[in-house]
Amino acid sequence: MTIKQYAVIGLGRFGTSVARRLHEAGQEVLGIDVNEERVEDAEFFVTHAVVADTTEEKALTSIGITNFDCVIVAIGNDMQSSILTVSLLKELGIKKVIAKALGKRHGQVLDKVGADWIIYPERDMGERVANQLLSPNMLNYIELSKEYSVEEIMIPSKMAGKNLRDLDIRAKYNVSAIAIVRKGTIIISPSPEQIIEEEDLLVMIGHKSDLALFANIE
Ligand code: ADP
């Protein structure tokens, strides 16, 4: 994996978990917060941590923020600081600015000031929990559009031991298997002869309603 440089601004619950995970994965992570205590605590799970008020352009430039490939703005409750920070980062030419929004209005403003990816943690987690309740075999998903997604679905045990051609999933369920996850390894673009085994996860692409039907096969 290539190592990238990430900066995470705002070391609350959300920022902390983004920073921790990136750092665990071997990436370089700079943690930034205006609160000294939060910066001290962060030193255990980031590469460097600094105290700075990111609504001040000077503070951002003296950190060398323009050297970062990607900046995550995890300031939540202080909407004004979040918006100002994103706007400054885009003015400074940061290519990828990811920002957390508290709600729809906040998200719309972040979009106007140039955020490249806006995350709504509460809304998205709520949807994820509901989806998991509706389709217990569905483990993970990526939304491609309002109608289509890619989902990781535990195979129904009655399919184990058969190959993809015989299962004829595309014709029967109108969804396609793009990969199989088997005991941590991944088989990309499985051939029609590929035999499905018990506890395989299928990575499926299709219409959400078709995927939901597939994920609910007993
Ligand atoms: P969460 O809900 O994820 O815990 P919070 O809104 O509580 O998020 O935390 C956001 C963090 O952002 C806090 O630690 C706060 O000190 C930090 N923060 C707020 N404003 C600024 C700013 N202007 N510059 C840097 N950090 C900031």
Side-chain angles (χ1 to χ4, degrees):
M1 201 197 319
T2 52
I3 296 180
K4 283 191 180 165
Q5 291 198 308
Y6 295 91
V8 177
I9 301 177
L11 299 167
R13 291 161 302 177
F14 181 77
T16 298
S17 56
V18 174
R20 194 188 292 276
R21 181 70 199 102
L22 288 171
H23 188 245
E24 276 170 3
Q27 303 297 307
E28 293 214 351
V29 183
L30 172 69
I32 307 167
D33 203 294
V34 73
N35 179 322
E36 214 164 302
E37 248 173 66
R38 294 231 154 144
V39 170
E40 274 171 25
D41 293 344
E43 275 162 13
F44 298 101
F45 57 83
V46 293
T47 321
H48 296 291
V50 292
V51 179
D53 180 350
T54 57
T55 59
E56 289 173 14
E57 187 171 347
K58 261 201 197 136
L60 285 174
T61 47
S62 65
I63 295 169
I65 203 80
T66 49
N67 298 322
F68 286 81
D69 305 309
C70 173
V71 181
I72 297 113
V73 181
I75 301 172
N77 296 321
D78 185 350
M79 231 187 265
Q80 191 174 326
S81 291
S82 140
I83 294 160
L84 252 169
T85 299
V86 169
S87 144
L88 276 173
L89 291 169
K90 287 315 287 183
E91 272 171 32
L92 288 168
I94 306 288
K95 277 219 184 75
K96 192 162 186 184
V97 177
I98 302 169
K100 160 182 143 171
L102 290 180
K104 204 169 159 190
R105 283 295 297 154
H106 186 189
Q108 283 168 343
V109 182
L110 289 173
D111 183 50
K112 286 227 162 67
V113 295
D116 300 284
W117 179 14
I118 299 158
I119 297 169
Y120 301 84
E122 309 247 299
R123 185 199 70 182
D124 294 352
M125 196 60 206
E127 273 178 23
R128 210 162 259 261
V129 169
N131 279 329
Q132 184 79 47
L133 292 171
L134 294 168
S135 313
N137 293 333
M138 196 245 289
L139 302 178
N140 236 326
Y141 75 96
I142 303 167
E143 190 172 57
L144 298 175
S145 70
K146 275 206 158 14
E147 290 170 21
Y148 294 91
S149 62
V150 173
E151 300 183 3
E152 201 176 54
I153 298 170
M154 179 76 81
I155 62 137
S157 48
K158 68 177 182 193
M159 288 190 180
K162 297 183 179 151
N163 71 26
L164 285 172
R165 174 177 291 124
D166 294 341
L167 289 169
D168 208 11
I169 294 170
R170 194 173 320 173
K172 283 189 187 147
Y173 300 97
N174 204 25
V175 292
S176 304
I178 53 175
I180 298 172
V181 182
R182 177 172 298 161
K183 295 188 179 80
T185 60
I186 188 154
I187 304 163
I188 301 284
S189 297
S191 75
E193 282 72 40
Q194 180 72 53
I195 299 200
I196 302 295
E197 292 178 6
E198 193 86 42
E199 291 185 12
D200 274 357
L201 298 178
L202 289 183
V203 183
M204 317 284 296
I205 186 166
H207 196 282
K208 286 180 183 174
S209 57
D210 295 326
L211 289 165
L213 284 178
F214 186 82
N216 275 299
I217 301 172
E218 296 277 308

